[in-house]
Amino acid sequence: MPCPALPERAARAALAEHFAPAQLAADLSQVSAEEVWKRRVRNDSSGRLARYKPADELGDAQLTCQFIIPSDEVWPAALADLGPDCPLGLWARGKDRLPQLTARAVAVTGNRNATEQALASAGAFATAVAEAGHTVSATLAYGVDSTAHRAAALAGQATLAVLPCGLDRAHPHDHAQLLSSIPANGGAVLSLYRPGTAPSGTTLKATSVLLAALTRAVILIEALDHAEAAMRTAEAATALNRPLLCPPTADDIRADGSARLPAEQRAHLVPDPAHALALL
């Protein structure tokens, strides 16, 4: 008896759980996600994929959040710029608001262990961005990112959060209230990873790229050179031809990354929020 057809959404969720997008891009350009999944199952000598039940796994995960795919109307069109690295799907809360939020999204990101000047700057830039009608986007992380979320909320505007873990948890853990407040106040939360996924170096790296891809520009408030998250977002923005804006920083080692980028003409130096808004 033939197996029942596997819906595209369940097939993509299953593939995303086990493979990177670039590993599948060539196959998906020719056949459906269902067929790609079947081929991978047949070629898996370990039996691991055969034991995975895509429809059941998707159903359980969607008790927490929704899995959206490129054929959905709410899918962020800007992700096409990632080419073969475009996600197979995204886990979302507040998915119906994504078209409005991503149309004018601006990332405000920086150090987790930020200077007082950086935190004040993050609040000022996020407030100005929000009041100008843009969507402040960040990662909920300590320091610059969570400050940006809170400043935009105080300005009465919804924000977009991009997390390096499943949406059944906050990262960091004690930002759970901030996480729940974002969709409750008209914003949205996105992740590449199904509920139950813990943050790791790999998920942080991929999330930095996703944050840059979702936005029209990145404002890098303060970043330590070679830092894992903020500088990777900045580098991804440059690779994706997103404007990268850097406010002046304190004479502090924690700002050596964001100080280097304008000097190398890889970013615009913006002395205040008004200049940033003019460039946006």
Side-chain angles (χ1 to χ4, degrees):
M1 185 173 181
C3 295
L6 182 62
E8 179 84 0
R9 196 176 310 277
R12 281 181 167 267
L15 289 167
E17 178 70 9
H18 295 91
F19 303 100
Q23 294 176 292
L24 306 169
D27 288 344
L28 286 171
S29 68
Q30 299 177 11
V31 298
S32 69
E34 178 188 14
E35 179 57 30
V36 175
W37 174 253
K38 288 179 178 178
R39 290 178 183 180
R40 296 285 169 150
V41 171
R42 286 196 298 268
N43 293 330
D44 176 30
S45 59
S46 72
R48 178 173 58 102
L49 298 185
R51 292 190 296 271
Y52 191 89
K53 306 301 179 185
D56 293 343
E57 293 286 348
L58 177 63
D60 290 344
Q62 288 200 131
L63 296 174
T64 300
C65 52
Q66 298 298 303
F67 187 70
I68 63 171
I69 59 177
S71 59
D72 290 329
E73 290 185 2
V74 298
W75 182 260
L79 295 184
D81 291 347
L82 291 170
D85 293 314
C86 181
L88 300 169
L90 292 171
W91 297 94
R93 289 185 186 172
K95 69 180 180 66
D96 292 338
R97 297 183 286 272
L98 281 176
Q100 294 75 31
L101 294 170
T102 58
R104 300 194 67 185
V106 176
V108 181
T109 191
N111 280 340
R112 278 54 178 150
N113 179 25
T115 62
E116 289 299 319
Q117 177 181 323
L119 296 178
S121 183
F125 275 83
T127 298
V129 166
E131 290 179 343
H134 298 281
T135 302
V136 171
S137 305
T139 70
L140 285 194
Y142 290 122
V144 168
D145 290 59
S146 56
T147 298
H149 280 297
R150 292 189 172 106
L154 286 173
Q157 299 298 319
T159 67
L160 175 66
V162 185
L163 268 62
C165 57
L167 298 186
D168 57 330
R169 69 186 74 195
H171 179 69
H173 177 73
D174 53 3
H175 284 175
Q177 185 174 356
L178 177 59
L179 171 62
S180 62
S181 72
I182 290 174
N185 292 322
V189 187
L190 292 175
S191 177
L192 291 164
Y193 304 101
R194 61 166 288 151
T197 305
S200 67
T202 298
T203 69
L204 285 163
K205 180 178 179 180
T207 299
S208 296
V209 176
L210 178 63
L211 177 63
L214 285 165
T215 58
R216 296 180 61 190
V218 172
I219 300 178
L220 185 66
I221 299 294
E222 174 187 80
L224 178 67
D225 210 353
H226 307 304
E228 290 295 316
M231 286 300 290
R232 279 193 171 131
T233 300
E235 291 162 1
T238 301
L240 292 167
N241 295 315
R242 307 294 196 255
L244 179 59
L245 315 180
C246 292
T249 57
D251 186 15
D252 189 289
I253 190 172
R254 284 173 286 183
D256 60 352
S258 44
R260 173 175 60 82
L261 294 171
E264 295 178 351
Q265 298 185 333
R266 295 172 59 194
H268 301 280
L269 184 64
V270 286
D272 52 53
H275 283 77
L277 294 176
L279 286 170
L280 291 174

